[in-house]
Structure formats: C-alpha cells, structure tokens
Amino acid sequence: MRKIETFLCAALLVAGLCGCEKIDVNKLEGTWSEQYDPTVFAMDGSLEYTFDGNGHYQMHVYDALSGESHDYSGSYAIDLINKGTITINPQMSDYSNVTYTLVKLTSKEMVWQKEGTTYSVGTWGSDYRHFVRVK
C-alpha cells in the first residue's frame, strides 16, 4: 500500500511540474492580432499590438462599425520572475494601466488573463485576451 501512495505522489508531482509553462519573453517581440472563435465571440473590428522587445508597443485599432482606425503607442513592463505578468502603460495611473498574467506565449499564440479575474467565455476581449502572431 505504501508503494502505491509513493508512486501516486510522484506521478502527481511530475504532472504538476510538466504543467508549468516557462514563458520566453523573446517570443513577445513582433505583431499580434487579437482573435477569438467567431462562433462564440464576434469582434466588431480588429486590434493589433506590435511589441518592439524594448518595452514599447504600437497598437492599431480598427472599428468596423464606424470604418475608422486609430494608432496608439505606449510602454509595457514584463515581470516573469515574481508574477509572470505584462503591464500595459505601467507608468500611467489612469484606466490605461492594466496588468495581465501571461498564461501562454508561444511563437504563434499568446494568452493574457487580467490580474484578479478568472477565465470565463463572457470575459473574452476584456479580462481574457487571445492573440495570434501576424508577423
């Protein structure tokens, strides 16, 4: 019986360690388009971030309802050591300062979850953000 308990504990430990995804911040650099499953959440425009790898970004927003697009720029901060987060406009004290946990960052896909929130389909585009690499 003791061997079974030891084996089960070891298996759970290995499974837990394998589930930890190491975030490679070098994969952030480039252009990312916010995208979701269109059968669940239809965006009425588009949003693209271009991260330069030096703490600055360009954001392009297109509003399909008005036919207008706007470009913005700002800064971001990465904290991989303590929290695994990205903060957009960390120097701002207004509504534009927001921190997300980097849930996933691969060469093709990136997922953010707003700090202090939990995932649910109804929060796509606000608390939960999903991006695919454009270039």
Side-chain angles (χ1 to χ4, degrees), residues 3 8 17 26 47 57 70 73 75 84 106 115 121 124 132:
K3 287 183 181 183
L8 187 57
L17 291 174
N26 295 321
L47 181 139
Y57 70 86
H70 300 280
S73 62
S75 62
T106 68
E115 228 178 26
V121 174
W124 286 9
V132 294

Side-chain angles (χ1 to χ4, degrees), residues 21-132:
E21 183 176 336
K22 179 80 171 153
I23 300 293
D24 181 358
V25 73
N26 295 321
K27 293 179 181 172
L28 179 66
E29 187 174 341
T31 301
W32 298 87
S33 176
E34 189 168 19
Q35 293 184 6
Y36 302 93
D37 178 350
T39 63
V40 178
F41 180 72
M43 294 180 62
D44 55 3
S46 64
L47 181 139
E48 285 185 359
Y49 277 101
T50 300
F51 295 97
D52 69 1
N54 292 315
H56 297 92
Y57 70 86
Q58 298 291 318
M59 182 174 63
H60 178 77
V61 179
Y62 171 69
D63 181 349
L65 299 177
S66 69
E68 295 181 7
S69 62
H70 300 280
D71 293 307
Y72 304 93
S73 62
S75 62
Y76 65 93
I78 301 287
D79 179 357
L80 296 181
I81 295 171
N82 297 316
K83 303 191 306 186
T85 60
I86 182 169
T87 302
I88 303 299
N89 296 322
Q91 74 285 1
M92 305 295 278
S93 61
D94 64 1
Y95 67 92
S96 64
N97 173 333
V98 62
T99 299
Y100 296 92
T101 299
L102 284 161
V103 176
K104 182 176 189 177
L105 178 57
T106 68
S107 60
K108 297 180 182 179
E109 184 181 22
M110 178 168 58
V111 176
W112 300 351
Q113 181 68 45
K114 189 174 182 180
E115 228 178 26
T117 66
T118 56
Y119 172 82
S120 71
V121 174
T123 64
W124 286 9
S126 58
D127 294 346
Y128 174 82
R129 312 280 302 273
H130 179 263
F131 300 89
V132 294

